[in-house]
């Protein structure tokens, strides 16, 4: 089995993990979580998003979170933005790393941002240009890259074309997302192999939800074709307001534990992650999806 020596874990709990919680989580609690994650060895995280509060009310305090949290030197904090207005707000609040998203499925994209994927990519082209002029880091997420909750299975050619187009814009990172957690290891292996054959200039990252319990198996499949960057969420929190049935992201602590057991370095301290799980557990009315914290409880 091919195993890399090192894997990078990108923490998305403060944004993707919390965005789907029904009860509003206080700004102070969000800041406490980010400050705790700062101490784990994680080098990159999605801190918040500048989306319309009517659609994602959990993120309505993005400005306050960014102002109140501790910004650790050498750690990258990203903010997701849905459009040019969101980009302007991010810039106003000192964000230097942005995260954009387009659905591989038009059905999902229309639900999410009321545009087709073609319209989204076109509009984001100007955002990418502005962000590059400012020297910002640009992450581009391809949502529903395997399955769409409305249109079903997504053909790999659709994703490959989006990767090609987005890569040509000069983004720094492309994230291929199993938004509803239905992808299987064979699908994952084949899609990432096809992507690598296209030799994109951008870094390629994988993002898995654990709806069917396949997320860690999918990580192993992605590792086999050279993917070494993965989004995870503390405690397995997550879900998508625009994707019915989507469960949480794969749990950060579970993935780090698995990789360490396999002899793969992440630079992350597991006991510190468990402290973060203890912080996050009271914030949700749902049972956490992760396993490692239960074993260590």
């Amino acid at each position: 089995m091919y195993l890399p020596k090192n894997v990078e874990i990108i923490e998305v709990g403060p944004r993707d993990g919390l965005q789907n919680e029904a009860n509003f989580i206080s700004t102070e609690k969000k800041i406490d979580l980010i400050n705790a994650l700062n101490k784990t060895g994680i080098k990159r995280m999605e801190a918040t998003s500048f989306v319309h509060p009517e659609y994602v009310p959990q993120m309505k305090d993005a400005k306050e979170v960014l102002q109140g949290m501790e910004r650790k030197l050498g750690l990258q904090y990203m903010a997701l933005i849905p459009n040019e207005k969101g980009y302007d707000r991010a810039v106003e609040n000192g964000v230097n790393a942005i995260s954009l998203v387009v659905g591989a499925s038009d059905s999902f994209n229309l639900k999410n941002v009321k545009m087709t994927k073609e319209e989204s990519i076109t509009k984001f082209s100007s955002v990418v240009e502005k962000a590059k002029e400012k020297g910002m880091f640009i992450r581009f997420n391809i949502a529903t890259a395997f399955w769409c909750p409305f249109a079903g299975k997504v053909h790999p050619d659709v994703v490959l074309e989006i990767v090609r187009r987005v890569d040509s814009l000069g983004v720094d990172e492309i994230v291929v997302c199993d938004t509803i957690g239905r992808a299987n290891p064979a699908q994952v292996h084949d899609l990432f192999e096809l992507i690598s054959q296209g030799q994109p200039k951008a870094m390629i990252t994988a993002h898995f939800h654990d709806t069917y319990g396949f997320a860690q198996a999918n990580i192993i499949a992605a590792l086999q074709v050279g993917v070494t960057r993965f989004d995870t969420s503390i405690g397995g929190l997550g879900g998508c307001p625009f994707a019915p049935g989507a469960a949480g992201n794969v749990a950060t602590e579970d993935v780090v534990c698995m990789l360490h057991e396999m002899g793969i370095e992440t630079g992350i301290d597991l006991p510190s992650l468990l402290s973060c799980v203890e912080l996050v557990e009271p914030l949700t009315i749902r049972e956490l999806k992760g396993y490692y914290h239960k074993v260590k409880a």
Side-chain angles (χ1 to χ4, degrees):
M1 176 184 286
Y2 167 75
L3 295 176
K5 292 182 179 179
N6 299 280
V7 159
E8 181 183 17
I9 298 297
I10 299 98
E11 176 60 48
V12 299
R15 197 281 300 177
D16 199 15
L18 297 181
Q19 72 172 0
N20 210 37
E21 290 299 310
N23 297 330
F24 183 73
I25 296 164
S26 73
T27 303
E28 291 74 17
K29 296 293 184 184
K30 290 171 184 163
I31 290 170
D32 288 345
L33 176 60
I34 291 170
N35 290 346
L37 288 166
N38 281 343
K39 301 171 184 175
T40 63
I42 286 165
K43 296 300 181 186
R44 291 202 288 152
M45 74 171 84
E46 280 192 343
T48 189
S49 62
F50 286 95
V51 292
H52 198 294
E54 181 182 343
Y55 303 116
V56 189
Q58 195 63 249
M59 296 287 109
K60 66 183 180 182
D61 56 353
K63 177 179 180 179
E64 291 75 18
V65 168
L66 288 170
Q67 288 177 341
M69 71 188 203
E70 297 171 12
R71 300 201 188 202
K72 185 178 178 182
L73 189 65
L75 203 156
Q76 183 190 73
Y77 303 94
M78 295 177 283
L80 183 136
I81 63 167
N83 49 38
E84 197 153 354
K85 186 175 180 180
Y87 168 78
D88 291 338
R89 291 179 62 205
V91 170
E92 288 168 7
N93 287 280
V95 172
N96 59 13
I98 57 170
S99 184
L100 315 176
V101 60
V102 65
S105 155
D106 276 334
S107 301
F108 175 82
N109 215 62
L110 286 164
K111 281 278 186 182
N112 193 7
V113 292
K114 295 180 173 56
M115 290 185 285
T116 65
K117 61 178 179 286
E118 178 63 35
E119 290 169 335
S120 279
I121 293 171
T122 300
K123 283 187 176 293
F124 275 140
S125 297
S126 61
V127 172
V128 169
E129 188 176 345
K130 287 182 178 181
K132 286 176 69 177
E133 288 174 358
K134 285 187 173 291
M136 298 175 78
F137 182 93
I138 308 164
R139 157 181 264 229
F140 205 107
N141 300 271
I142 304 175
T144 60
F146 298 91
W147 289 85
C148 169
F150 312 107
K153 193 172 183 180
V154 176
H155 197 283
D157 287 349
V158 174
V159 180
L160 293 174
E161 176 59 17
I162 296 174
V163 170
R164 185 193 66 78
R165 291 191 59 192
V166 169
D167 193 47
S168 71
L169 295 177
V171 303
D172 299 288
E173 180 178 24
I174 298 172
V175 188
V176 181
C177 306
D178 180 23
T179 307
I180 66 170
R182 191 175 172 181
N184 65 61
Q187 276 182 294
V188 168
H189 178 281
D190 292 350
L191 181 57
F192 280 105
E193 187 171 49
L194 288 169
I195 291 170
S196 68
Q197 288 170 3
Q199 298 183 324
K201 295 183 179 69
M203 301 186 297
I204 299 297
T205 297
H207 176 112
F208 298 116
H209 287 247
D210 207 25
T211 311
Y212 283 70
F214 298 163
Q216 285 182 268
N218 287 338
I219 287 173
I220 299 298
L223 285 173
Q224 298 307 294
V225 288
V227 179
T228 58
R229 297 177 184 86
F230 298 93
D231 285 357
T232 63
S233 177
I234 193 71
L237 284 178
C240 177
F242 308 102
N249 299 63
V250 64
T252 304
E253 63 277 10
D254 289 1
V255 175
V256 170
C257 176
M258 178 184 75
L259 293 173
H260 288 185
E261 289 288 319
M262 295 166 68
I264 300 172
E265 291 298 320
T266 65
I268 296 172
D269 180 61
L270 265 172
S272 297
L273 281 182
L274 287 179
S275 298
C276 295
V277 177
E278 290 173 7
L279 274 179
V280 107
E281 194 163 18
L283 304 183
T284 179
I285 58 174
R286 296 179 286 177
E287 182 181 359
L288 295 183
K289 290 277 290 181
Y291 293 95
Y292 181 72
H293 79 280
K294 297 172 186 175
V295 174
K296 288 294 179 179

